[in-house]
Amino acid sequence: MNRRKQRAQTTVASGPTGPVPAIPLSDANAGPSGDPTIGNLVKDASAQVSTLFRGEIALAKAEITKEAKKAGAGSGLLAAAGVMLLYTSLFFFIFLGALLMIWLPAWAAFGIVFLLLLLITAVAGFFGYKLFTKLKKPEKTMESVSSLKEVLPGQTQFEGPGAHSALPPAREH
């Protein structure tokens, strides 16, 4: 009994903050020959890769969150600037109508401003329509999807999305 107490005292030393655990003298991962086992090596490697992967994800989240906050603030400021530009344009057109009232009656001055706004709207709508009519099909994507039957072995019956030769036909309910 006395020997056990002595052994416990040699492995655990008491310090100012309490007992301090002893350092093991042998490797816990070592096999009977003293070398680490393959299972322990794989376990350690997978644990280290998992830890590294989690650390990289945490770093990416931190960076993306920081940049997303900046982008959100920038987007908010741009939206505020757009709204202010809209209100400013209203005052510009009122000013333009008042300026034309120097030479023309009020109804004619504001009629001209109205026609100017109508012309700007029509021109913007026309060019917007032209841009939409110039849109093209995603030909490269369509070509790569159609070439799947050549790339995938045994898939010559590929007819497009939803067709798969290994699957039975879907039941209709």
Side-chain angles (χ1 to χ4, degrees):
M1 182 100 164
N2 229 359
R3 246 185 195 175
R4 278 192 186 164
K5 261 188 173 177
Q6 284 178 339
R7 217 180 272 161
Q9 287 176 351
T10 58
T11 57
V12 179
S14 60
T17 59
V20 177
I23 299 173
L25 298 177
S26 64
D27 188 5
N29 293 329
S33 67
D35 293 331
T37 63
I38 292 177
N40 286 336
L41 288 174
V42 169
K43 180 179 76 169
D44 289 346
S46 65
Q48 290 173 358
V49 167
S50 176
T51 302
L52 179 64
F53 188 68
R54 278 193 226 115
E56 290 296 326
I57 288 176
L59 177 63
K61 280 183 183 178
E63 286 180 342
I64 289 173
T65 301
K66 181 180 174 185
E67 294 303 314
K69 286 181 182 178
K70 286 182 189 176
S75 298
L77 290 172
L78 284 175
V83 169
M84 292 306 296
L85 181 63
L86 183 65
Y87 289 139
T88 304
S89 68
L90 173 70
F91 284 103
F92 170 74
F93 290 114
I94 291 173
F95 160 76
L96 188 59
L99 182 65
L100 289 174
M101 281 189 344
I102 295 174
W103 300 284
L104 301 170
W107 64 269
F110 283 102
I112 290 173
V113 171
F114 170 74
L115 291 175
L116 178 65
L117 287 172
L118 197 60
L119 177 69
I120 291 171
T121 304
V123 168
F126 175 75
F127 283 115
Y129 174 77
K130 281 297 195 182
L131 283 175
F132 275 113
T133 57
K134 289 183 181 179
L135 291 177
K136 297 179 182 179
K137 296 185 286 187
E139 293 176 10
K140 291 181 182 179
T141 303
M142 292 170 54
E143 182 181 318
S144 71
V145 168
S146 66
S147 69
L148 281 178
K149 58 184 162 189
E150 298 167 10
V151 176
L152 298 174
Q155 298 296 322
T156 55
Q157 303 92 346
F158 184 74
E159 299 283 331
H164 194 280
S165 61
L167 297 175
R171 289 187 230 151
E172 293 185 24
H173 294 281

